[in-house]
Amino acid sequence: MEEQSTEKKNNRILGIESSCDETAAAVLENGTQVLSSIVASQADLHAKYGGVFPEIASREHIKTIYAVVDQALKDAHLSIQELDAIAVTRGPGLAGSLVVGMNMAKGLSLASGIPLIGINHLEGHLYSAWIPQESPDYHEPQFPVVALIVSGGHSSLILMHDHLTYTQLGRTLDDAAGEAFDKVARLLNLPYPGGPSIQKAAENGNGQAFQFPRAWLEGTWDFSFSGLKTAVLRALEELHANGRPVLVENLAASFQAAVVDVLFNKTMNAARQFHAGSVLIAGGVSANRALRNVFLDQKEFPIHIPPLHFCTDNAVMIATAGYYRFTHGFKDDLSMDVLPNWPLVSISSI
Ligand code: KG4
Ligand code: ZN
């Protein structure tokens, strides 16, 4: 195995992701070339429940994983034997979903002898900023990096000292940012996933129409969004009680403005305090236009936000994290199990 990986020298990494409602596989070569990327989203199946239904998610992963991995290898024009490592999301995520990707990866590893690398999903989101890009303006983030990860399951502020070395500065005390978007969308009768539909509704709304609360949680880098969600509910109830028209656009815009305000200001304060070389935003909510714009408009720190298709779950980010782990000497074995509650900080460099 050791010999195999040094002989090949192409560092071809197959990434597999199945932590939530996307089944994804991708191949990355030498950390510099994305050879393939397949994402099969189940969002339509979960839409009628207004959120991810875990049993349906794992069943769908089982149905699609083989075809997704097969297509990623075909698009890359590679056989399994030509890979150097298989990077698979180990956690955090839905246990029943993670297991499907893990078993696929283990099966491939067992059959081929190619080493396995377990990847933390949040590390994957961070490494979406290192996915090779064709743009001539692309530069790698400079350490120390202050990173905001905002997705359906997580809201964390991370200090990345160097490759694969992190300190968690703060996290959400209740709902994740994406979860807040999804729940508020449900309150406003907007379709799942809530983020894109709130963004769309907000485009025609006034973000100042409602003064929703901002939970600054001074003295910490933590977040809280459940009070904001309750404030939207109260505003809705009041409009109904008074027989006033419900302007969904204004509610959506004012909610979005409150989320963006807190995420932006807390991240910028952390960047100042920790003398960041770069600021990075990742995770599904980093696809939000208002959030991207406010970060892109500031000139204090170089800002890194992945292209839209790499903000939401994908396997290129897992393969990219896998590339950095593989080239830093990390390897796992077939005894590896999924870790549905795996915090990012528990992984350190060797
Ligand atoms: O990273 P991701 O694909 O999956 C998780 O790891 O959770 O993030 C999904 C989340 C969902 O909550 C979705 O509503 C949110 O990202 N999202 C957005 C936008 N696009 C996706 N939130 C706000 N604005 C968007 N444009
Ligand atoms: Zn994610």
Side-chain angles (χ1 to χ4, degrees):
M1 296 273 290
E2 289 283 352
E3 279 168 24
Q4 228 176 31
S5 57
T6 43
E7 268 167 26
K8 291 183 192 168
K9 291 214 175 72
N10 286 318
N11 290 325
R12 289 174 180 147
I13 316 286
L14 169 67
I16 298 179
E17 156 65 36
S18 69
S19 65
C20 192
D21 61 344
E22 263 96 24
T23 322
V27 181
L28 181 75
E29 185 170 81
N30 266 332
T32 54
Q33 246 198 309
V34 179
L35 299 185
S36 64
S37 174
I38 306 288
V39 180
S41 174
Q42 310 171 359
D44 290 351
L45 284 172
H46 299 287
K48 61 174 176 259
Y49 305 102
V52 177
F53 197 109
E55 281 81 7
I56 293 180
S58 51
R59 232 180 299 156
E60 271 312 297
H61 285 305
I62 291 168
K63 278 198 237 164
T64 43
I65 189 106
Y66 179 82
V68 166
V69 170
D70 190 46
Q71 194 59 49
L73 289 170
K74 279 189 178 134
D75 286 1
H77 304 289
L78 292 175
S79 68
I80 295 166
Q81 292 301 338
E82 290 170 292
L83 299 171
D84 295 272
I86 301 166
V88 58
T89 305
R90 187 178 183 189
L94 299 169
S97 292
L98 288 165
V99 157
V100 179
M102 179 60 75
N103 284 347
M104 182 77 197
K106 281 185 184 176
L108 291 174
S109 175
L110 187 64
S112 62
I114 310 290
L116 279 176
I117 304 174
I119 300 294
N120 185 294
H121 183 78
L122 300 179
E123 181 171 79
H125 275 303
L126 290 176
Y127 273 91
S128 59
W130 276 266
I131 293 174
Q133 292 184 21
E134 273 161 28
S135 156
D137 300 332
Y138 173 75
H139 307 282
E140 284 188 1
Q142 296 299 302
F143 298 113
V145 172
V146 164
L148 174 71
I149 308 179
V150 268
S151 70
H154 310 275
S155 298
S156 304
L157 207 46
I158 306 280
L159 180 60
M160 196 171 171
H161 307 273
D162 199 344
H163 279 298
L164 311 173
T165 316
Y166 318 97
T167 304
Q168 179 169 275
L169 301 174
R171 67 194 161 85
T172 182
L173 301 181
D174 38 60
D175 293 343
E179 195 180 354
F181 270 94
D182 295 335
K183 286 181 175 170
V184 168
R186 229 179 303 166
L187 291 178
L188 300 179
N189 275 326
L190 295 170
Y192 174 85
S197 43
I198 286 193
Q199 171 176 307
K200 193 155 171 255
E203 276 162 17
N204 304 312
N206 172 8
Q208 312 282 319
F210 297 86
Q211 286 309 309
F212 287 136
R214 275 86 166 139
W216 293 112
L217 306 182
E218 299 285 353
T220 77
W221 302 112
D222 291 333
F223 302 104
S224 165
F225 296 106
S226 73
L228 173 58
K229 179 190 66 193
T230 310
V232 176
L233 177 64
R234 294 278 169 274
L236 257 177
E237 286 171 347
E238 226 175 282
L239 291 171
H240 285 306
N242 297 329
R244 302 202 4 233
V246 175
L247 288 177
V248 168
E249 296 83 359
N250 285 349
L251 286 162
S254 303
F255 161 77
Q256 182 175 270
V259 175
V260 169
D261 201 9
V262 172
L263 293 178
F264 176 68
N265 282 297
K266 290 204 84 147
T267 306
M268 291 299 288
N269 285 339
R272 288 178 198 119
Q273 173 140 348
F274 296 99
H275 307 289
S278 299
V279 171
L280 190 165
I281 326 172
V285 181
S286 66
N288 185 272
R289 201 169 304 137
L291 186 69
R292 296 171 83 90
N293 285 344
V294 70
F295 275 102
L296 290 169
D297 285 348
Q298 62 76 38
K299 300 285 172 253
E300 239 181 300
F301 297 95
I303 179 80
H304 295 263
I305 316 177
L308 287 179
H309 55 287
F310 291 140
C311 289
T312 45
D313 288 349
N314 64 88
V316 183
M317 67 185 199
I318 302 301
T320 306
Y323 166 79
Y324 282 92
R325 287 216 160 254
F326 185 62
T327 51
H328 282 76
F330 283 84
K331 256 181 229 178
D332 290 294
D333 58 41
L334 291 166
S335 67
M336 170 168 61
D337 203 356
V338 299
L339 296 170
N341 299 308
W342 197 16
L344 179 65
V345 276
S346 70
I347 324 163
S348 58
S349 291
I350 52 169

